[in-house]
Amino acid sequence: QPNPALGALSMGYLDGSDLPYYWSLANRFTLFDHFFAASQAGALPNRVAAIAGQDASLTTNTAPAGGITVPTVFNQLDQKHLSWKYYVQGYSTSSAGTTPQQQAARLIDAPVLGVPSLPAADATKVVSSSQYFADLAKNQLPHVFYVSGTVDSERAPQNPAHGEAFVESLVNALIQSGEWDHTVLLLTYDNSGGWYDNLPPPVIGGAQVGIRVPAILVSPYARSGHVDSTILDTASIPAMIDSVFGLGAL
């Protein structure tokens, strides 16, 4: 179907002159060039995989009636009494909305809100990304945190430079804080957002995964300027958390 925002454009790309900060991160830290979205079905299944190691059999962005019932890394962290937060850009409990469409969008932004096995008090751990900067200033980041960009989307045909600026604010604040020396931050995406990629998705664990997405490991522990070609996907995120904190694989 014709897209008025794109006009006659059928395929495009962005390079270092378009997104200089991302190029700088890739040159300074570790770039994963075989990192794939775990699911082909969209944002919600991939964001569920990012917290649960699986997509919970979701095939659309519609939340299941009974909620997300598979175990998550947050269940594991609670059991070990380890702190966590889920920072969401522009999040406010007073403006969360009540329509099915608003609730669906809210769940995509923070799928942890749709996990009925978590105690109600855990909902207070979903906060605005502004709290991320406040926590950094006090050197009080939790053991594990997620940051979800929502306002400045990089989905085509929107300008990815806006999302890049949001990421830059997150990373620069972290590097300049007292938390930097013991933090690992993985930058990646829940799906392709309509951007083209030339690498066919592989079969992982017997399942065809989604399209390749950018992924950069930003940390004093990351190898500078290194390109890691290990085949990874969204489920590698909770796998890393489980490995670091000895939680056992989901």
Side-chain angles (χ1 to χ4, degrees):
Q1 295 293 323
N3 187 325
L6 292 175
L9 181 67
S10 62
M11 186 183 300
Y13 68 92
L14 302 167
D15 60 21
S17 62
D18 300 299
L19 299 170
Y21 188 73
Y22 285 156
W23 253 251
S24 173
L25 289 182
N27 287 328
R28 183 175 175 184
F29 299 105
T30 296
L31 171 71
F32 296 105
D33 68 347
H34 280 72
F35 195 105
F36 298 85
S39 170
Q40 299 181 3
L44 181 58
N46 279 303
R47 293 199 178 196
V48 170
I51 66 172
Q54 60 164 297
D55 61 13
S57 300
L58 296 174
T59 57
T60 70
N61 283 325
T62 302
I68 299 164
T69 57
V70 296
T72 71
V73 71
F74 303 118
N75 297 97
Q76 294 179 300
L77 292 167
D78 281 350
Q79 290 169 4
K80 293 289 186 178
H81 305 290
L82 296 171
S83 59
W84 61 268
K85 282 185 181 177
Y86 204 114
Y87 301 103
V88 181
Q89 187 183 21
Y91 180 78
S92 170
T93 54
S94 62
S95 60
T98 56
T99 69
Q101 293 80 6
Q102 291 170 324
Q103 291 296 319
R106 184 170 180 251
L107 191 60
I108 291 174
D109 293 343
V112 63
L113 292 170
V115 181
S117 61
L118 290 172
D122 275 357
T124 63
K125 299 176 183 178
V126 181
V127 295
S128 169
S129 57
S130 61
Q131 187 62 43
Y132 165 85
F133 299 101
D135 290 346
L136 270 181
K138 296 181 291 186
N139 290 333
Q140 291 182 355
L141 281 182
H143 290 99
V144 173
F145 65 91
Y146 286 64
V147 183
S148 174
T150 61
V151 179
D152 297 316
S153 172
E154 298 183 30
R155 182 179 299 277
Q158 298 173 82
N159 185 355
H162 297 158
E164 180 190 48
F166 175 61
V167 171
E168 182 175 3
S169 70
L170 299 172
V171 174
N172 287 356
L174 175 61
I175 291 176
Q176 295 163 13
S177 76
E179 300 279 26
W180 170 243
D181 288 343
H182 49 267
T183 298
V184 173
L185 186 149
L186 177 68
L187 166 66
T188 191
Y189 296 79
D190 56 34
N191 61 67
S192 70
W195 296 99
Y196 168 81
D197 187 69
N198 65 302
L199 189 66
V203 173
I204 300 178
Q208 183 85 52
V209 297
I211 198 168
R212 180 171 61 167
V213 293
I216 303 174
L217 192 71
V218 179
S219 173
Y221 302 102
R223 292 175 61 183
S224 180
H226 177 62
V227 177
D228 190 317
S229 296
T230 305
I231 295 178
L232 304 167
D233 68 25
T234 315
S236 301
I237 297 171
M240 178 176 67
I241 296 170
D242 286 343
S243 176
V244 169
F245 293 99
L247 304 179
L250 285 166

